Amino acid sequence: MGLLVAGPAALSLVAPTPAMANAVGANGSAQIAQAVAALRGIDTMRANFVQRSEATGQQVTGVLSLKRPGKIRFQYQRGYPVLIISDGKALTIIDSEVKQTQRWPIGKSPMGALLNPAKDVAQYGTLLPSLDPHVTNIRVTDRMHPEYGVMTLSFAHKAGVPGGMELVGWQTVDAQNRRTTIILSGHQYGVELGDDLFRYLDVRPNVRR
């Protein structure tokens, strides 16, 4: 299963011309710094999401809950057998249909750019050209560990939200080159989210936690 997306409007990327490249270079540091401030300004957030897999064309919906640092939950639509949780240390993907659970440190997945406090977007991020001047796209990758995948975060400039930018989605490319896109909507900030929401107890015998 590929892991997670920003929509067509958010991921409005184009091949940069020399003029665009110069503009990106001149403004890149400031926009990345603003995006970092926006992410760090989120204590808790809940939003609806649409997830699309490029490989299969499958589209599903659900509710995302985010609590910093490092906690996230993707609660998918009724009938979809997958649950994704991060407890701040490890990302766990549970597929009840095939009875399979995968778990790995948050820093070793494409989602590390969003979840791992040690993976500073300002250090690992590159500003990408955008067709929409109100959207900022930042690609985050660990050049020392390309196997961790790539995540492109998309932010819409918006007054009244943390840092003046709203995370509207992302696209990830994992080690198997599988692309997944997430589009967010209906953001709510400062909601009450208990830590139990981000815990998953694997009751299988002989499982290392």
Side-chain angles (χ1 to χ4, degrees):
M1 171 184 163
L3 190 62
L4 316 174
V5 167
L11 287 175
S12 50
L13 309 180
V14 295
T17 64
M20 291 174 66
N22 289 337
V24 168
N27 299 322
S29 296
Q31 290 194 51
I32 290 175
Q34 186 178 1
V36 170
L39 288 176
R40 291 179 176 173
I42 299 172
D43 292 321
T44 61
M45 183 186 79
R46 182 183 291 131
N48 301 320
F49 72 84
V50 177
Q51 175 179 304
R52 183 178 182 275
S53 168
E54 183 178 290
T56 65
Q58 182 186 38
Q59 182 167 295
V60 293
T61 62
V63 176
L64 175 147
S65 299
L66 175 69
K67 185 175 184 177
R68 294 184 61 83
K71 297 180 177 68
I72 202 165
R73 180 185 180 101
F74 292 88
Q75 185 68 55
Y76 287 88
Q77 65 191 45
R78 185 183 298 272
Y80 190 66
V82 174
L83 176 65
I84 299 176
I85 296 178
S86 170
D87 59 4
K89 297 179 181 179
L91 187 70
T92 303
I93 301 179
I94 305 102
D95 189 329
S96 59
E97 185 174 60
V98 297
K99 296 180 173 57
Q100 182 181 62
T101 299
Q102 301 177 66
R103 183 176 172 88
W104 57 86
I106 57 174
K108 294 184 179 181
S109 79
M111 289 290 291
L114 181 61
L115 299 177
N116 185 6
K119 183 165 285 189
D120 191 339
V121 172
Q123 179 181 354
Y124 293 94
T126 302
L127 186 69
L128 300 181
S130 172
L131 289 171
D132 187 337
H134 302 292
V135 172
T136 293
N137 297 308
I138 300 173
R139 177 179 292 155
V140 184
T141 182
D142 188 336
R143 295 175 181 84
M144 298 297 292
H145 296 281
E147 70 275 14
Y148 294 171
V150 178
M151 187 175 195
T152 301
L153 301 164
S154 292
F155 299 84
H157 297 247
K158 183 177 179 179
V161 301
M165 281 185 172
E166 188 161 75
L167 179 65
V168 292
W170 60 83
Q171 185 178 86
T172 60
V173 182
D174 66 15
Q176 286 73 46
N177 203 36
R178 294 174 298 191
R179 296 175 182 269
T180 309
T181 300
I182 294 281
I183 306 165
L184 302 179
S185 64
H187 300 63
Q188 296 176 289
Y189 299 97
V191 293
E192 185 68 30
L193 299 174
D195 287 341
D196 287 346
L197 190 65
F198 307 98
R199 294 194 183 115
Y200 171 73
L201 178 60
D202 195 335
V203 297
R204 294 174 302 163
N206 302 320
V207 172
R208 297 179 62 185
R209 298 180 174 87

